[in-house]
Amino acid sequence: MSLLPGLSLAGLLTLFILVPIAAVFLWAFAEVWRYPALLPTQWGLRFWPAMLSRADVWSALRTSLALSAVVTALSAVICLPAAYAFARLDFPGKSALLLSFLATHAFPKFGLYVAIATIMFSFGLVGTFTGVVLIQLVNTLLLMIWIPVGAFQAIDRRLEEAARDVGASAARTFLSITLPQAGPAIGAALLLTFVNTFYETDGAFLIGAPHIRTMPILMISLINNQLVVQYGAVLSVLLWVPSFLALLLARNILSARTIASGLGG
């Protein structure tokens, strides 16, 4: 009887997560699939060349990858020193500032984006790559602050003190002792930030339109304007490839315990 709740949960996860994902993959390789057939009646790759030959698909992919790389790099430069300061220093308003980063994710962000958009409009940043980078940086604060803060707090100070006692400088101690211990959690934060930025839609649409078009925005546009399910399915599969590769990398270098410790778990 004790296994029943676990089996029920597994069934619900399968129903609401795996089944839709499987359906998208089936549609991507289906040429004919009509109700009430449970599986496509005709398979093929007819819709793949149509999508892969579109210049706007490759342009959107390059834009998404460039945005993710730039936002992740800038977030690391800005947030990691701040995370170290939050972990090691005491200053007025420290707890309030940490909670403010969480507050940006506690409520729907679209209202915040609209407020920021009005400011960006006055500076001519709407419809620019720079504007989208700035709006997407807001999304990175929680991951790039909270996870590294937990990692820096969890470091054994005795190892740092031992290194200093034998003559290591502060920089050498940080590079040889502190950074390697915090590295996996920082890697988790960087990876999650990259993937999260790649799939971010609201900020990219509100600030980037009409000149900056990312892969998620292109997918929404294709689904809305072309009543062909396969186009959206093919593009969805293409969207999943970067995150799948990132998760394969994470499986080799990270663990659930690492991420949980970064979040203070």
Side-chain angles (χ1 to χ4, degrees), residues 2-252:
S2 61
L3 294 177
L4 185 59
L7 292 175
S8 300
L9 179 60
L12 288 173
L13 289 175
T14 301
L15 180 63
F16 290 106
I17 298 178
L18 296 183
V19 170
I21 292 175
V24 169
F25 272 90
L26 289 175
W27 271 116
F29 298 97
E31 293 189 0
V32 178
W33 190 2
R34 297 188 180 94
Y35 179 84
L38 295 179
L39 292 174
T41 55
Q42 184 175 338
W43 300 85
L45 300 173
R46 179 162 59 94
F47 294 95
W48 283 81
M51 288 301 301
L52 295 177
S53 63
R54 294 177 62 117
D56 56 351
V57 170
W58 294 105
S59 176
L61 178 60
R62 289 192 296 269
T63 299
S64 291
L65 291 174
L67 278 170
S68 298
V70 171
V71 170
T72 301
L74 285 177
S75 183
V77 171
I78 296 170
C79 295
L80 291 180
Y84 186 82
F86 277 115
R88 295 300 180 89
L89 303 178
D90 290 321
F91 51 87
K94 174 180 175 179
S95 298
L97 281 174
L98 273 175
L99 287 176
S100 70
F101 300 134
L102 181 62
T104 60
H105 290 258
F107 305 98
K109 292 190 288 293
F110 196 77
L112 176 63
Y113 288 162
V114 171
I116 296 176
T118 59
I119 299 174
M120 288 189 173
F121 183 79
S122 63
F123 286 97
L125 293 173
V126 173
T128 66
F129 186 90
T130 301
V132 178
V133 167
L134 293 176
I135 197 70
Q136 289 186 333
L137 277 173
V138 176
N139 272 331
T140 70
L141 296 178
L142 180 65
L143 293 174
M144 291 298 291
I145 292 289
W146 277 60
I147 293 179
V149 163
F152 286 129
Q153 289 176 337
I155 291 173
D156 190 347
R157 298 287 188 93
R158 292 173 297 181
L159 295 176
E160 295 177 324
E161 293 171 357
R164 298 297 299 273
D165 289 341
V166 297
S169 64
R172 179 67 181 274
T173 300
F174 179 80
L175 293 175
S176 301
I177 304 297
T178 307
L179 193 58
Q181 292 187 71
I186 293 174
L190 291 171
L191 179 64
L192 293 172
T193 296
F194 185 92
V195 173
N196 186 60
T197 302
F198 188 89
Y199 292 106
E200 198 279 329
T201 304
D202 291 343
F205 175 76
L206 186 63
I207 302 299
H211 304 297
I212 305 299
R213 177 174 287 190
T214 62
M215 284 285 278
I217 293 174
L218 178 61
M219 183 181 68
I220 294 172
S221 175
L222 288 174
I223 293 173
N224 288 337
N225 297 329
Q226 302 184 41
L227 300 179
V228 180
V229 177
Q230 285 88 338
Y231 286 149
V234 170
L235 199 55
S236 295
V237 173
L238 293 176
L239 273 172
W240 285 338
V241 169
S243 64
F244 179 73
L245 295 176
L247 290 175
L248 285 180
L249 176 63
R251 184 176 179 272
N252 292 327

